[in-house]
Amino acid sequence: MFLYRLKHRGPDWIGIFQHKGNYLAHQRLAIVDLTSGDQPLFNEDKTIAVVANGEIYNHEELRKKLPNHTFSTNSDCEVIAHLYEEYGENFVDMLDGIFSFVLYDTRDNHFLVARDAIGITSLYIGWGEDASVWVSSEYKTMHEDCEHFERFQPGTLYSSRERGFRRWYNPVWFSEMIPTTPYDPMVLRNALEKAVVKRLMTDVPFGVLLSGGLDSSLVASITSRYLAETKAGKQLGTTIHSFCIGLEGSPDLKAGREVADYLGTVHHEFHFTPQDGIDAIEDVIYHIESYELTTVRSSIPTYLISRKIKSHGIKMVLSGEGSDEIFGGYLYFHKAPNKEELHQESCRKIKALHQYDCLRANKATSAWGLEARFPYLDKEFVSVVMGIDPDNKLSGQKRRIEKWILRNAFDDKERPYLPQHILWRQKEQMSDGVGYNWIDALKAHAASHVTDTMMLNAARTYPLHTPPTKEAYLYRMIFEKIFPKQPARLTIPWEPTVACCTPKALSWFPEWSNNMDPSGRAAWGIHNSANTKLVSSDIVEPNKVEPQNGAATTNGATNGH
């Protein structure tokens, strides 16, 4: 019965494997190898079984390293079983992709669990009273059967032989050491193009989320430029469907439409009302398994648009998550006092992505059987960006717009990727970009359901993660009705934030200490000083193009799509 709680994630196939009281079960969303890729997947003699969620982008290259192995499917995930057979547990770092998997070796009843580098796919592990071990993409399958469950950390594997966890992903940036590599715009451009192109591995129609902000617009532009050269383009054609959601008259709708016209995509706009969003709150909390304020706010539009996208026959979308974290793109980064603190804050933000944006984007899309892929969080691309001397990422001190090094890398006058005013459009939070009245409507709705007396007793009602506002209290009440166990609460991140900063970064602006709203609107004033001529004379690189006067704008939204 528990498996059906994940049917929304994989409506195309149910697969179950049983051996000596151990079970592997899988709900499949078929994107690669539609005819033979049903799971579980096996090695040649079926002594090793695998269930996996995600995509292994370099599976064809990995197959070439296994000439003595016979593959029975064209599934990208089958390579996991054969790599284990060849290399033992030390193969996970060879995988380039997004994944959570459980591998079971019937020869000694050993199992191995691993999660991708950043935590793009969701994964939890739990333990029952009977010493059973449970692993699932969502904890709704285990919260009734496990005494304890917890997040499975990104970049980590669990070995039943060792009965413990260890990190398999240990990049240089993880130590937060300050990098010194000079900024080269062409290296950056080529790395992002490669990251986008590898994510065009699909046997089904796909789309792009297009808010009209920098991140999603660049992904869409690169896709349109290179799709015809890919296997997917040759099989499925070069028509690109783009999608955007917002309240009537929202910044995202206007900018998304303009970029779509420029790129020639088949564009789909979805208008929602505040009441549409309010009506979806309970379903969203059920699917994302969180009551964290910013996560719920931003998940609602993602959830609503995912339903519309799936109704168009689309199973996969490209999205722009992760750019703000690796480039220091949130508006509060303008206040970074020096390059060291900027880099360390970026490292902290990347490490926490699996609790926030990745969780939202994965679960809110999976609620409708839709897969989201994030080129900015490509393992190789993250290493390139996080290896650049962070002095180049400083914005406030250099009077530059945020993410200057990304914008500059794609400012090609001969073959423009985007219109200038889109390329240099200001960053804004996703929940604000879909419409400025959206957050106000959520607050008003919460105020009509949560009384002042309830807030006075909030610390006694909810001693763990006490809700500081009526909106947070409302989300917590809904969550407790669905997931009443303590382990569920312990999976939720809970720390003070304004404009998405970490607690350490709050020290950059003491005036925010009493601000209770994490919305990016708290940082609007920060950007004003950057909307002047962009400074570029302190960076010298070949073929550098300087942005034109007035290129930066004061309104708009880059929403992580």
Side-chain angles (χ1 to χ4, degrees), residues 10-13 26-34 37-39:
D12 297 331
W13 173 259
H26 188 261
Q27 294 272 177
R28 187 186 184 204
L29 176 65
I31 294 178
V32 174
D33 186 14
L34 307 185
D38 296 334
Q39 300 191 29

Side-chain angles (χ1 to χ4, degrees), residues 186 438 446:
M186 292 309 299
W438 169 231

Side-chain angles (χ1 to χ4, degrees), residues 171-236:
V172 175
W173 66 263
F174 204 84
S175 69
E176 302 185 12
M177 291 179 58
I178 310 304
T180 58
T181 303
Y183 166 57
D184 185 328
M186 292 309 299
V187 169
L188 184 61
R189 182 195 292 187
N190 293 338
L192 182 56
E193 289 180 332
K194 182 179 178 182
V196 172
V197 170
K198 76 171 64 169
R199 280 159 180 77
L200 300 179
M201 182 185 78
T202 177
D203 293 329
V204 298
F206 75 96
V208 293
L209 293 175
L210 182 58
S211 70
L214 173 67
D215 305 330
S216 62
S217 297
L218 278 179
V219 169
S221 178
I222 295 168
T223 301
S224 68
R225 186 167 292 205
Y226 292 103
L227 178 59
E229 304 171 13
T230 68
K231 180 180 176 182
K234 294 171 183 176
Q235 286 184 343
L236 304 172

Side-chain angles (χ1 to χ4, degrees), residues 277-296:
I278 289 167
D279 291 343
I281 290 175
E282 187 163 342
D283 286 341
V284 166
I285 290 175
Y286 169 78
H287 281 289
I288 67 172
E289 302 173 320
S290 179
Y291 50 76
E292 197 276 325
L293 187 68
T294 59
T295 303
V296 176

Side-chain angles (χ1 to χ4, degrees), residues 534-545:
L534 304 177
V535 177
S536 59
S537 59
D538 57 334
I539 293 182
V540 179
E541 63 273 353
N543 302 319
K544 190 192 73 60
V545 180

